[in-house]
Amino acid sequence: MQEEWFSEWFDTPYYHILYKDRDDQEAEYFIDQLIQYLKPRIDARFLDLACGKGRHAKYLNSRGYIVDGCDLSSSSINEANKDANEHLHFFVQDMREPTDRKYDYIFNLFTSIGYFEDFSDNAKTFKAVAESLNPNGLFVVDFLNAPKVIADLVEEEEKLIEGIRFKISKRIEHQNIIKSIAFSDQGKDFHFEEKVSLLRKTDFLEFAEQCGMKLIQEFGNYSLDSHSEESERLILIFKKA
């Protein structure tokens, strides 16, 4: 079976180099807004699903909450676990499989779904989330806003990071956005592709309906303003029945 692109690319050091300057301040601001909106109990249990190195999970834990983070990338989880504590744990997990523990809130942030070659795996992820939530638990999905991405697509760009020149091209193909990343390091050429389905609100509603979750709120940015086709993000909050 061919390895899925994300299981290889996310586990390389080059992925972390390319995205080293992600905005932690923006991530913390978003978590603050979510907490203000959700008003969770201090003993609520959170899961950061597809957490990467755990930047959202770590900040959420610093606010006093019990947080787990999981990701398919063992290298990311190893890095995240350097900051683990009594109320902050990280583990390797495929998001298409339910967790052993139940949660009050599951967060899937920064466009961390829609990577699968088999489109039905997105619905499988929602089913796994529903099985991992406590009754009346909430699932927060933070995804790209497809109309905005299509309108603002930058087809070619280069980034020089830590002496490595990343040549990046993007294209829309069969309702997927495909990012091609080419670079050389230590005399060796590399090429990776990121492929993300341009999921719309209607897709998420269908996934949720299949597993008994319902949409209770939607937002268009990290300030939790209303959503429109011009919004930067598609942020949806689902409730388990």
Side-chain angles (χ1 to χ4, degrees):
M1 179 183 248
Q2 184 177 4
E3 188 174 32
E4 293 166 306
W5 68 262
F6 48 86
S7 62
E8 178 186 10
W9 171 226
F10 289 176
D11 232 11
T12 71
Y14 299 108
Y15 169 79
H16 299 292
I17 292 171
L18 178 58
Y19 296 114
K20 63 179 289 189
D21 293 329
R22 282 177 168 168
D23 192 337
D24 288 342
Q25 187 174 356
E26 180 184 65
E28 293 173 4
Y29 174 78
F30 181 34
I31 292 295
D32 286 341
Q33 300 307 302
L34 283 176
I35 293 303
Q36 184 175 340
Y37 171 77
L38 296 170
K39 296 179 173 58
R41 304 184 320 273
I42 195 62
D43 62 344
R45 185 175 292 276
F46 289 80
L47 175 66
D48 185 1
L49 183 66
C51 66
K53 291 184 178 181
R55 61 182 181 142
H56 294 98
K58 292 173 186 177
Y59 181 68
L60 186 57
N61 173 250
S62 77
R63 292 285 309 265
Y65 295 101
I66 304 166
V67 186
D68 288 345
C70 68
D71 199 278
L72 192 62
S73 168
S74 57
S75 65
S76 290
I77 292 300
N78 288 339
E79 187 67 26
N81 264 321
K82 293 178 181 179
D83 295 312
N85 60 53
E86 183 182 1
H87 292 137
L88 177 65
H89 301 95
F90 296 96
F91 57 95
V92 175
Q93 174 88 10
D94 190 317
M95 66 198 302
R96 291 165 286 192
E97 300 295 333
T99 56
D100 295 333
R101 181 174 287 168
K102 302 291 186 182
Y103 298 92
D104 301 299
Y105 300 90
I106 296 180
F107 290 175
N108 180 246
L109 308 179
F110 206 69
T111 308
S112 298
I113 192 172
Y115 299 160
F116 310 115
E117 194 65 37
D118 185 344
F119 190 80
S120 67
D121 280 351
N122 296 298
K124 190 175 181 180
T125 297
F126 263 67
K127 183 175 183 293
V129 166
E131 292 177 10
S132 303
L133 279 170
N134 286 321
N136 298 313
L138 298 183
F139 180 35
V140 179
V141 180
D142 162 36
F143 198 70
L144 58 81
N145 185 31
K148 178 73 169 174
V149 167
I150 294 169
D152 295 349
L153 186 70
V154 177
E155 294 185 356
E156 304 281 345
E157 63 177 324
E158 289 190 7
K159 294 184 178 182
L160 182 61
I161 306 172
E162 294 188 9
I164 300 173
R165 188 173 299 277
F166 294 91
K167 298 180 179 180
I168 301 168
S169 62
K170 298 177 185 176
R171 67 186 189 276
I172 306 296
E173 189 175 286
H174 306 304
Q175 288 304 301
N176 297 292
I177 181 167
I178 300 174
K179 180 190 289 187
S180 178
I181 303 161
F183 57 94
S184 298
D185 185 40
Q186 299 180 8
K188 187 176 179 181
D189 295 332
F190 296 88
H191 179 261
F192 295 94
E193 278 195 346
E194 298 179 2
K195 181 180 179 181
V196 182
S197 296
L198 290 169
L199 300 173
R200 312 285 182 127
K201 177 184 172 182
T202 52
D203 295 310
F204 288 110
L205 290 175
E206 183 176 338
F207 303 150
E209 184 179 3
Q210 291 176 24
C211 61
M213 290 195 290
K214 63 178 181 180
L215 180 68
I216 61 169
Q217 189 55 271
E218 62 182 293
F219 302 108
N221 57 33
Y222 293 150
S223 296
L224 304 189
D225 295 322
S226 59
H227 180 267
S228 72
E229 289 231 333
E230 291 75 38
S231 294
E232 291 295 328
R233 307 295 296 171
L234 174 63
I235 300 168
L236 303 174
I237 303 180
F238 296 93
K239 184 175 184 178
K240 179 177 178 178

